[in-house]
């Protein structure tokens, strides 16, 4: 298996768990093999040490020097339009859908169930029409 995402200065990572769960951070410096110094200028994460186990690396890399100050990281983040690119990914859309599903009330789940039943009924009727048309041709 060939890896495509490496831990490097400027790599954008998604925080999978911990106090900043669900936020994006940029790796500013690598402390040791288990931790990195991260900064999330546009996501509200202050500069801090974070273990690699908490992070999931994304495809995005911003161009910042080693141990760059927060204003340089923020400038590079906005120039690369990381938030906009992230919102367009299927990964972010899945996370958003999961959160939306978790916040549903009982009545919302009921409405979704009824909508699915209606959709399946319409599909079943159309499939039967196509089957009848195919049977007449033979």
């Amino acid at each position: 298996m060939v890896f495509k995402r490496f831990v490097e200065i400027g790599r954008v990572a998604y925080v999978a768990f911990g106090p900043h769960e669900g936020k994006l951070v940029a790796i500013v410096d690598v402390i040791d093999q288990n931790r990195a110094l991260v900064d999330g200028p546009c996501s509200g994460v202050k500069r801090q040490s974070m273990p690699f186990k908490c992070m999931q690396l994304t495809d995005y890399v911003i161009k910042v020097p080693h141990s760059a100050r927060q204003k340089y990281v923020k400038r590079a983040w906005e120039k690369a339009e990381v938030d906009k690119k992230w919102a367009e990914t299927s990964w972010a859309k899945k996370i958003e859908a999961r959160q939306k599903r978790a916040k549903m009330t009982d009545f919302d789940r009921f409405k979704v169930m009824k909508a699915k039943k209606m959709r399946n009924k319409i599909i079943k009727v159309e499939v039967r029409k196509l089957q009848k048309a195919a049977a007449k041709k033979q």
Side-chain angles (χ1 to χ4, degrees):
M1 180 175 174
V2 180
F3 295 104
K4 294 183 173 78
R5 300 174 184 159
F6 299 104
V7 174
E8 57 186 310
I9 307 301
R11 174 69 69 178
V12 177
Y14 174 77
V15 182
F17 60 90
H20 300 289
E21 180 180 348
K23 296 181 180 177
L24 292 177
V25 295
I27 296 174
V28 179
D29 195 2
V30 177
I31 298 171
D32 59 24
Q33 66 182 11
N34 297 318
R35 297 177 299 145
L37 186 67
V38 298
D39 195 358
C42 296
S43 59
V45 180
K46 292 185 177 178
R47 183 171 291 219
Q48 60 186 286
S49 171
M50 189 172 286
F52 290 121
K53 289 181 180 180
C54 291
M55 297 183 277
Q56 297 174 349
L57 302 177
T58 65
D59 290 332
Y60 307 114
V61 180
I62 57 175
K63 192 170 173 79
V64 292
H66 177 25
S67 296
R69 290 174 53 192
Q70 186 173 7
K71 73 175 191 178
Y72 295 116
V73 176
K74 186 173 184 171
R75 192 180 302 154
W77 187 284
E78 289 169 350
K79 184 179 178 186
E81 298 179 334
V82 174
D83 291 325
K84 182 181 171 191
K85 290 177 184 175
W86 171 254
E88 294 170 358
T89 62
S90 61
W91 187 358
K93 289 175 184 173
K94 282 180 191 175
I95 292 167
E96 187 179 333
R98 191 179 310 132
Q99 289 172 344
K100 189 184 278 187
R101 211 174 306 117
K103 290 179 183 174
M104 288 176 79
T105 63
D106 186 43
F107 185 59
D108 291 333
R109 285 189 290 275
F110 173 77
K111 289 191 290 189
V112 168
M113 179 195 71
K114 294 301 260 182
K116 283 182 180 179
K117 281 185 177 181
M118 286 296 291
R119 182 194 63 198
N120 290 339
K121 189 175 181 181
I122 292 168
I123 290 171
K124 190 184 286 187
V125 168
E126 293 298 320
V127 167
R128 282 193 183 140
K129 284 181 186 176
L130 291 171
Q131 287 174 341
K132 284 182 182 178
K136 286 182 182 179
K137 286 183 179 178
Q138 291 177 352

